Amino acid sequence: MKRTRILAGATAASLALGLAACSSADDGGGEGGDATLGFYTDKAAWEPSFDAMNEVSGAEGKTLDFTGYSDTTAYDSFIKQSFRTKKVPDLFTWHTGPSLGELVDQNLVAETTDLWTQAEADGLVPEGLKDNYTYDGKQYCVPLNVAYWAVYYNKKVFADHDIEVPTSFEELMAAAEKLKAADVTPFHQMNIIFEFAWFQALLAGNAPDTYQGLQTGDASYLDPEVVEVMDRWKQMIDDGYYNDPGVTTDPQTLLKNGDVAMAYFGTFLSGQLTEVGAKSGEDYGIFPMPSMNPASGGQMVLETGPLCVGKGSENEQAALDYSAWWMSDEAQKTWSDERGEVSFNPHVKVDDPEQQKLVDAATSDDTTVQQRYLEANPLPVYTLSTEIFGDFVTNAPDPMPGLQRLQAEADTYWADQG
């Protein structure tokens, strides 16, 4: 059985809180038997994909009762409030990094250490992915999905201007200069949501240890390697390598139409390109972002979102059983085929050759996989960065005042951590 609720707007949280008290499972399952699991997500548009998953998981005796939010603020508020009721969510999507850590600290999510141990033994997860779900040596939640961040490019634009796929940062800059001289905008960027993207790409490829150090307080936003990145980024903006960051046209449309030649995004962009009629390998290709500093070696950013079990939910064991199934070859093949995206499960090959080449590169011994900036950094620092990087992308000011503000926020955060 599957019921659907799509919630949006400022009143969604209070409405859903009332629903939570009566919507958990109709079919029992508290001991891990057959169950309809109450499932909540801020990905309302993904309902058809979860319908497809229900068709397969139903054979295992478990289906999802889907409640989707289109307003992420209302969703986050609902999840936090739901744990104050007698009925907590069986399954829900969340965020890795400090946001997940907050729920773990409050003892609100079920531990999944045994699931991860078994998944690693069965080869169902790649090395390093577990780090995104580990707190004080234990694991919580399982990966809902993953996305590798790389450069998408318009194949016709490259062919028209006789540009080969860059394999070094020097070649990437040469391609950008050639495109700019031909009145083609080389790169996409935006001043909301993903305003951090190019900072992430440049710093991870210039000083990966510094990139990681910002996440732990062992590095500073005033370190020379960070300043060097901001200066290079400013130069690229000043040279006219980017589109207007405030443009409201979707990046997939800009790339498909050749309004920008390249866009640095997670592999979720493949599905969005498909939706606007662009064909992988024909209209667009994908390549790893070359490292700004060749000595840094290959670097690739991995984004992952968790599927969590509410601790103390009516169907906690059944939800944990579903989580274990979610990591299986069967589940992940269904998910990958349905979404047209890469799977975290190394046994599952994506049908898109361009994406598969990227996965092969990411899992090679020559590549270091990094966490996405958003999830990897302390929430107060990330929140301030949205303002600072958003302004930087838009106006390209002197980067030092912004870096000083970020470091001051980081100093305050790490001091509070003791």
Side-chain angles (χ1 to χ4, degrees):
M1 182 180 91
K2 177 184 76 70
R3 296 189 303 277
T4 299
R5 292 176 289 278
I6 306 296
L7 305 176
T11 62
S14 58
L15 174 61
L17 189 57
L19 289 172
C22 60
S23 69
S24 195
D26 298 327
D27 304 328
E31 298 302 320
D34 291 359
T36 296
L37 303 170
F39 171 58
Y40 299 85
T41 179
D42 58 354
K43 298 166 176 58
W46 290 17
E47 183 182 4
S49 298
F50 286 105
D51 286 346
M53 299 305 292
N54 271 346
E55 292 180 10
V56 180
S57 67
E60 304 290 328
K62 294 175 178 61
T63 57
L64 302 180
D65 177 6
F66 183 98
T67 299
Y69 280 72
S70 57
D71 183 314
T72 56
T73 300
Y75 175 75
D76 287 1
S77 176
F78 158 66
I79 290 296
K80 292 176 180 179
Q81 291 181 56
S82 70
F83 285 100
R84 303 190 185 105
T85 70
K86 294 181 181 179
K87 299 285 188 178
V88 302
D90 294 326
L91 285 163
F92 64 97
T93 59
W94 199 240
H95 327 281
T96 53
S99 294
L100 180 55
E102 289 179 1
L103 298 189
V104 173
D105 288 342
Q106 296 174 56
N107 200 31
L108 301 180
V109 290
E111 184 182 339
T112 56
T113 301
D114 290 345
L115 303 188
W116 279 92
T117 299
Q118 188 62 53
E120 287 191 316
D122 294 339
L124 303 182
V125 290
E127 184 178 355
L129 182 60
K130 183 171 71 174
D131 296 343
N132 294 271
Y133 297 87
T134 301
Y135 297 88
D136 294 330
K138 300 177 181 179
Q139 284 74 56
Y140 300 87
C141 310
V142 299
L144 173 71
N145 64 330
V146 297
Y148 292 104
W149 279 67
V151 183
Y152 284 73
Y153 69 100
N154 183 301
K155 279 183 165 285
K156 184 177 185 302
V157 170
F158 269 41
D160 287 347
H161 298 280
D162 195 27
I163 295 174
E164 298 291 330
V165 172
T167 58
S168 68
F169 193 77
E170 183 179 59
E171 291 177 356
L172 183 68
M173 292 299 99
E177 185 59 33
K178 188 173 185 178
L179 290 163
K180 180 63 175 60
D183 293 325
V184 177
T185 302
F187 301 121
H188 174 274
Q189 69 176 358
M190 54 202 302
N191 56 16
I192 58 171
I193 304 176
F194 298 127
E195 63 284 305
F196 64 85
W198 279 88
F199 177 78
Q200 164 186 283
L202 295 173
L203 184 57
N206 185 49
D209 290 345
T210 302
Y211 180 78
Q212 294 173 3
L214 293 179
Q215 304 164 23
T216 60
D218 294 324
S220 166
Y221 281 90
L222 302 179
D223 286 347
E225 298 86 356
V226 180
V227 175
E228 180 184 11
V229 159
M230 294 300 291
D231 288 343
R232 172 57 73 99
W233 192 9
K234 176 175 169 56
Q235 186 63 56
M236 292 166 67
I237 296 172
D238 291 342
D239 286 345
Y241 286 176
Y242 295 100
N243 62 298
D244 174 358
V247 67
T248 57
T249 305
D250 291 333
Q252 60 266 32
T253 301
L254 294 172
L255 187 70
K256 177 195 174 187
N257 294 343
D259 296 318
V260 296
M262 291 173 274
Y264 175 65
F265 267 97
T267 43
F268 54 79
L269 189 66
S270 292
Q272 295 168 347
L273 283 162
T274 299
E275 290 175 358
V276 297
K279 295 182 178 179
S280 176
E282 182 178 328
D283 298 314
Y284 70 89
I286 319 172
F287 62 88
M289 172 67 77
S291 291
M292 179 176 160
N293 176 8
S296 296
Q299 301 287 323
M300 194 173 300
V301 169
L302 172 69
E303 168 190 355
T304 181
L307 177 66
C308 299
V309 175
K311 187 167 185 179
S313 64
E314 183 175 347
N315 298 292
E316 180 175 340
Q317 185 56 55
L320 286 168
D321 292 345
Y322 185 94
S323 300
W325 173 80
W326 182 267
M327 292 194 281
S328 70
D329 295 352
E330 176 188 44
Q332 284 306 300
K333 180 58 177 173
T334 302
W335 182 254
S336 180
D337 289 348
E338 172 63 27
R339 296 292 303 168
E341 296 178 7
V342 301
S343 168
F344 58 80
N345 184 325
H347 298 162
V348 175
K349 302 297 183 182
V350 65
D351 290 336
D352 181 345
E354 292 287 334
Q355 290 196 59
Q356 189 57 52
K357 284 190 297 184
L358 194 66
V359 173
D360 292 342
T363 55
S364 75
D365 293 337
D366 299 327
T367 301
T368 299
V369 176
Q370 302 270 18
Q371 284 185 283
R372 190 168 69 153
Y373 178 83
L374 189 162
E375 292 86 5
N377 287 272
L379 188 58
V381 180
Y382 164 72
T383 300
L384 178 60
S385 80
T386 63
E387 173 194 336
I388 291 172
F389 291 149
D391 177 65
F392 188 80
V393 165
T394 305
N395 301 307
D398 176 0
M400 285 305 298
L403 292 177
Q404 289 167 349
R405 290 180 62 197
L406 281 170
Q407 187 53 42
E409 187 68 35
D411 287 341
T412 298
Y413 174 83
W414 293 116
D416 289 343
Q417 303 308 302

